[in-house]
Amino acid sequence: MPLFFRKTPFFRKIPAYLFCFVFFLYLFVCPCHAAPQSFGPNGLKGLDNQQIEGLSKGKIIFSTTDSCDDMDDDDDLDDDDDLDDDDDLDDDDDPDSALIEAAMVFDSTPEKTWALISKTGDQGLYLNEIKKISTVKQQKDRNLQRFTLKVAFMTIKYQVIHHFNPDKALIYWGLDPDYDNELDDLRGFWRFYPYEGGKTLARYGSNVSIPNVPSWIEAMFKKNGVKKSLEAVKKYVNSGGTYRK
């Protein structure tokens, strides 16, 4: 934590691990589910030449956007019902809804990358803070999973609806609105594109909000946390799924 914050009484009362926790909450990281804007046929739309060069060198390229198409999936997920296909897709104009977006290259093909990352129940194998994932419902194009995180003395639970569209090489997710989530906001997406050398170009976006932590503090620390989590995902995919935390 920067020295200024350590010397400010308000910030001294906030445990440092909370900031790390904000970083982590990711990945199959609201009132809305976020599906991405179009990144063009090769996935490079929105990237400049320097960023494209960085991708070729194995770097994770970051940006932030408040544009989020195909959002708000108000699925009725009672225990006796199927996961509905009734998607109400509205834009969220709240400035706190800005996504941290990233582009990166995996060493495996899009098919192998999809096969690994779409196993959302395996995240606990390579992401440290996840202690338990329970699948509540599973259907061909979506699932409902309950996550339990353990950070220091805190246990946080929430339910996520993941959507899978293999035809578009797209995965996106958001909080289950019918569950008493201990997060204010969680949403995100993965989208995959073929890349030279039989590799995969991945575009990613996520946002998370934790109750009682000011949003501007979250914004200061999110990027480094997402980077740490994406590095773990990259190790997992590049290892063919054998990497463990």
Side-chain angles (χ1 to χ4, degrees), residues 22 95-96 208-210 212-222:
V22 171
D96 291 339
V208 63
S209 181
I210 303 172
N212 304 318
V213 176
S215 59
W216 67 274
I217 298 177
E218 290 182 343
M220 289 172 54
F221 291 94
K222 279 179 183 176

Side-chain angles (χ1 to χ4, degrees), residues 30-35 68-75 86-92 163 172 187:
C30 116
C32 65
H33 294 184
C68 185
D69 300 331
D70 296 341
M71 293 162 54
D72 269 359
D73 194 61
D74 294 328
D75 294 317
D86 183 16
D87 297 336
D88 293 328
L89 305 178
D90 300 317
D91 287 338
D92 187 346
H163 298 256
Y172 66 102
R187 54 197 165 92

Side-chain angles (χ1 to χ4, degrees), residues 151-163:
V151 183
F153 58 85
M154 294 180 60
T155 299
I156 296 181
K157 296 182 179 181
Y158 57 94
Q159 280 192 179
V160 177
I161 305 170
H162 299 102
H163 298 256

Side-chain angles (χ1 to χ4, degrees), residues 73 75-77 81-87 139 142 163:
D73 194 61
D75 294 317
D76 181 3
L77 297 176
D81 297 334
D82 289 335
L83 302 183
D84 295 338
D85 290 319
D86 183 16
D87 297 336
Q139 291 183 289
R142 65 189 68 191
H163 298 256

